[in-house]
């Protein structure tokens, strides 16, 4: 017969850990009480921490204001408040509360002089002014017969100074701090009012309500200022992103246009390399292989350019089938501007035409000059309709000079397009000038007009200029009129 195996000793029972929050169902009442106490203690600790630790560095109000008088305004207000309240408080304590002048001066200084800190350290000033006001009330309570004609527990100048201080505090601190300070004012006033209830004729309630209103108004102004600052920051970011996007779009547009220019030359190279063995007789085999290699390289380059153009072209757009315009189309461009209601005049050197003896202009420069004139005239039509405009295109040494000058608009007109919402404007001009290695000079004129002057080399260099050299009055605005 087998012996029964001894049972293992019972494990010691561990009491359940109290939860941090309230429980439901059949839970014991202990965890509920512990959870409420722990939550209350946590909130009380957060409130004490908020009222003893400023949330902002001790920088003056309006320290970031653009104008000097705006930055000095808080100091002027603080000095005015202190200079008015100090003598008034001394007079009230001496006349209404029958305090001897030396003591009245000491009590008034203790309550008013810390207000000098409310422009940059309002929370620290609160914990000097509010306790000193309570101590002053206790000092006045020593002789209650002297308060027959006075209000209790706060003298009128003390209430006014406290409201100024709470408003300055609400402009800087967070909600939890404001709640803690308001509770201190309310509880202190109620407690002091119970010491002499017959002298308290609603002053406590009035002080509590006014302090709450002042804190709410200050907090609303603070939040409104924060929203405005965030809005300005967002507008700045959006403007920078819009300018960057415009720059990329214009570069893409220039790349698509240059594809036609470069593709023409590459096609000519391919045709000449393929036809060289048939046009030139007696070529050795090595020369024929070299021409065949040149033609293959040219075809490969054309294929890569077409692939790049597919990537650069926006969705839903098709390639332009018309040839790229140049200086030979500037006359038509000016005539179209005149039909749009802008009195424009063109002055172009004869050697820049298309007839015999015309000056050779690189295709990239030819296209860039046309686009600069086109965008400048478009800006005149949009922003200064009816303004007298003069277009001048001439060659000087080895450079092509393009000058577009318009006068002021005959009548004040509102801008048709918002900033950045229209064409690419000066951004496109700068990119085209940079592409050819030239310089661009733009800016408003004293009479209210606008000037665009571009100097483009007739034969572009191998590397574009790193940056333009605009004049001192150059503007970043996409508009010909200031």
């Amino acid at each position: 017969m087998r012996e029964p195996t001894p049972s293992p000793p019972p494990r010691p029972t561990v009491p359940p850990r109290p939860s941090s929050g309230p429980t439901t169902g059949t839970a014991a009442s202990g965890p509920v009480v512990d959870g409420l106490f722990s939550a209350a203690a946590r909130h009380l600790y957060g409130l004490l921490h908020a009222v003893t630790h400023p949330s902002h560095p001790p920088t003056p109000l309006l320290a970031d204001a653009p104008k000097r008088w705006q930055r000095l305004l808080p100091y002027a207000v603080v000095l005015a408040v202190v200079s008015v309240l100090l003598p008034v408080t001394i007079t009230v304590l001496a006349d209404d509360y029958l305090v001897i002048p030396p003591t009245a001066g000491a009590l008034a200084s203790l309550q008013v002089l810390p207000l000098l800190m409310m422009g940059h350290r309002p929370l620290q000033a609160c914990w000097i002014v509010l306790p000193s006001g309570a101590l002053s009330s206790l000092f006045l309570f020593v002789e209650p017969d002297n308060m027959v004609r006075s209000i209790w527990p706060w003298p009128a100048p003390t209430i006014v100074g406290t409201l100024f201080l709470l408003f300055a505090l609400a402009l800087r601190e967070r909600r939890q701090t404001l709640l803690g300070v308001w509770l201190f004012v309310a509880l202190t006033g109620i407690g002091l009012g119970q010491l002499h209830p017959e002298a308290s004729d609603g002053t406590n309630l009035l002080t509590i309500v006014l302090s709450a209103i002042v804190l709410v108004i200050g907090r609303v102004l603070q939040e409104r200022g924060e929203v405005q600052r965030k809005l300005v920051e967002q507008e700045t970011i959006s403007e920078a992103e819009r300018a960057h996007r415009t720059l990329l779009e214009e570069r893409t547009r220039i790349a698509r246009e240059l594809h036609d220019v470069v593709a023409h030359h590459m096609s000519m190279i391919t045709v000449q390399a393929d036809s060289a063995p048939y046009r030139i007789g007696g070529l050795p085999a090595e020369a024929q292989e070299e021409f065949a290699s040149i033609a293959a390289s040219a075809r490969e380059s054309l294929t890569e350019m077409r692939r790049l153009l597919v990537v650069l072209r926006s969705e839903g757009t098709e390639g332009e089938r018309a040839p790229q315009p140049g200086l030979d189309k500037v006359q038509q461009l000016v005539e179209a501007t005149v039909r749009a209601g802008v009195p424009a005049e063109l002055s172009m050197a004869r050697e820049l035409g298309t007839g015999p003896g015309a000056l050779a202009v690189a295709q990239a420069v030819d296209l860039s000059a046309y686009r600069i004139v086109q965008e400048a005239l478009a800006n005149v039509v949009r922003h200064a309709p009816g303004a007298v405009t003069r277009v001048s295109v001439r060659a000087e040494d080895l450079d092509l000079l393009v000058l577009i000058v318009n006068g002021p608009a005959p009548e004040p007109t509102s801008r048709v397009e918002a900033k950045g919402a229209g064409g690419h404007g000066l951004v496109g001009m700068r990119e085209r000038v940079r592409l050819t290695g030239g310089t661009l000079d733009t800016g408003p004129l004293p009479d209210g007009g606008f000037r665009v002057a571009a100097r483009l080399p007739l034969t572009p260099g191998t590397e574009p200029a790193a940056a333009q050299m605009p004049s001192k009055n150059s503007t970043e605005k996409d508009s010909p009129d200031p």
Side-chain angles (χ1 to χ4, degrees):
M1 187 175 180
R2 298 178 61 183
E3 296 181 358
T5 57
S7 60
R11 296 181 179 179
T13 59
V14 180
R17 297 179 60 185
S19 65
S20 59
T23 58
T24 59
T26 59
S29 59
V32 175
V33 176
D34 292 342
L36 292 177
F37 277 127
S38 61
R42 183 170 62 254
H43 288 295
L44 181 60
Y45 175 78
L47 192 64
L48 292 176
H49 184 273
V51 298
T52 55
H53 293 76
S55 60
H56 293 278
T59 55
L61 290 173
L62 304 181
D64 298 331
K67 297 182 179 180
R68 179 180 176 84
W69 70 267
Q70 294 175 344
R71 296 191 295 270
L72 296 178
L73 182 61
Y75 296 100
V77 173
V78 169
L79 290 177
V81 170
V82 172
S83 60
V84 171
L85 284 181
L86 185 59
V88 171
T89 305
I90 295 175
T91 303
V92 169
L93 292 178
D95 295 344
D96 296 346
Y97 294 86
L98 303 181
V99 180
I100 59 176
T103 307
L107 293 177
S109 300
L110 191 62
Q111 297 178 35
V112 177
L113 291 182
L115 294 178
L116 293 172
M117 302 169 56
M118 68 179 178
H120 55 286
R121 289 186 173 88
L123 185 59
Q124 291 88 334
C126 275
W127 296 123
I128 299 176
V129 173
L130 298 181
S132 64
L135 291 176
S136 299
S137 299
L138 291 176
F139 179 82
L140 298 177
F141 183 71
V142 176
E143 297 292 339
D145 296 337
N146 297 338
M147 295 184 296
V148 176
R149 298 181 295 107
S150 308
I151 60 175
W152 173 261
W154 309 112
T158 302
I159 296 176
V160 175
T162 302
L163 294 179
F164 274 101
L165 182 58
L166 293 180
F167 182 74
L169 183 71
L171 293 177
R172 299 176 66 94
E173 295 298 332
R174 50 188 181 270
R175 296 179 182 177
Q176 198 172 17
T177 304
L178 304 183
L179 176 61
V181 173
W182 181 79
L183 289 176
F184 179 85
V185 173
L187 295 178
T188 303
I190 294 174
L192 291 175
Q194 297 303 316
L195 297 178
H196 202 306
E198 60 274 10
S200 181
D201 54 353
T203 306
N204 278 339
L205 180 60
L206 179 63
T207 304
I208 293 172
V209 173
L210 289 179
S211 62
I213 293 175
V214 167
L215 290 175
V216 170
I217 293 175
R219 180 63 188 181
V220 169
L221 293 178
Q222 179 192 10
E223 293 181 351
R224 183 173 179 270
E226 291 177 356
V227 170
Q228 289 180 343
R229 284 193 296 271
K230 292 180 180 179
L231 181 61
V232 171
E233 293 177 359
Q234 187 62 36
E235 288 178 352
T236 303
I237 295 174
S238 300
E239 186 66 26
E241 292 178 350
R242 187 184 301 113
H244 183 64
R245 183 175 64 251
T246 301
L247 179 63
L248 294 180
E249 290 176 356
E250 184 63 19
R251 288 181 177 179
T252 303
R253 179 187 177 192
I254 295 174
R256 290 198 302 265
E257 294 177 351
L258 286 181
H259 166 267
D260 298 337
V261 175
V262 179
H264 170 73
H265 295 288
M266 297 299 295
S267 299
M268 294 299 298
I269 293 174
T270 303
V271 172
Q272 291 175 356
D274 284 334
S275 61
Y278 305 97
R279 291 182 291 104
I280 305 175
L283 287 177
E286 293 80 1
Q288 295 181 8
E289 292 179 359
E290 187 67 23
F291 279 116
S293 177
I294 293 174
S297 299
R299 292 191 190 92
E300 184 178 356
S301 298
L302 282 173
T303 303
E304 293 297 330
M305 287 181 60
R306 293 190 184 98
R307 291 174 181 173
L308 178 61
L309 183 63
V310 171
V311 175
L312 294 178
R313 182 175 293 127
S314 303
E315 295 181 1
T317 60
E318 299 179 357
E320 298 180 358
R321 294 179 174 86
Q324 294 295 344
L327 294 176
D328 57 333
K329 302 293 183 180
V330 172
Q331 179 67 37
Q332 301 177 11
L333 186 61
V334 174
E335 293 175 356
T337 305
V338 173
R339 289 193 298 269
V342 176
E345 301 176 358
L346 173 63
S347 172
M348 187 166 63
R350 181 172 309 200
E351 64 268 15
L352 297 176
T354 57
L359 187 64
V361 180
Q363 285 185 301
V365 175
D366 195 28
L367 175 60
S368 297
Y370 175 85
R371 293 302 186 193
I372 290 173
V373 175
Q374 181 185 38
E375 188 60 42
L377 293 178
N379 278 343
V380 175
V381 173
R382 284 196 298 264
H383 304 290
V388 178
T389 306
R390 295 178 177 84
V391 180
S392 173
V393 182
R394 71 179 189 273
E396 184 178 291
D397 296 333
L398 299 178
D399 295 330
L400 179 68
L401 301 182
V402 180
L403 178 64
I404 305 96
V405 178
N406 68 275
E411 297 180 0
T413 56
S414 60
R415 296 181 182 271
V416 178
E417 300 174 356
K419 183 179 180 180
H424 296 164
L426 300 181
V427 176
M429 296 181 191
R430 292 190 186 92
E431 286 301 305
R432 294 183 183 279
V433 170
R434 182 175 181 270
L435 171 70
T436 58
T439 58
L440 180 68
D441 181 13
T442 62
L445 298 176
D447 61 352
F450 202 84
R451 173 177 178 268
V452 175
R455 179 182 291 271
L456 309 175
L458 292 174
T459 303
T462 56
E463 294 183 1
Q468 284 72 44
M469 295 181 294
S471 63
K472 293 182 179 180
N473 60 350
S474 295
T475 179
E476 294 294 331
K477 294 183 179 180
D478 189 10
S479 167
D481 57 335

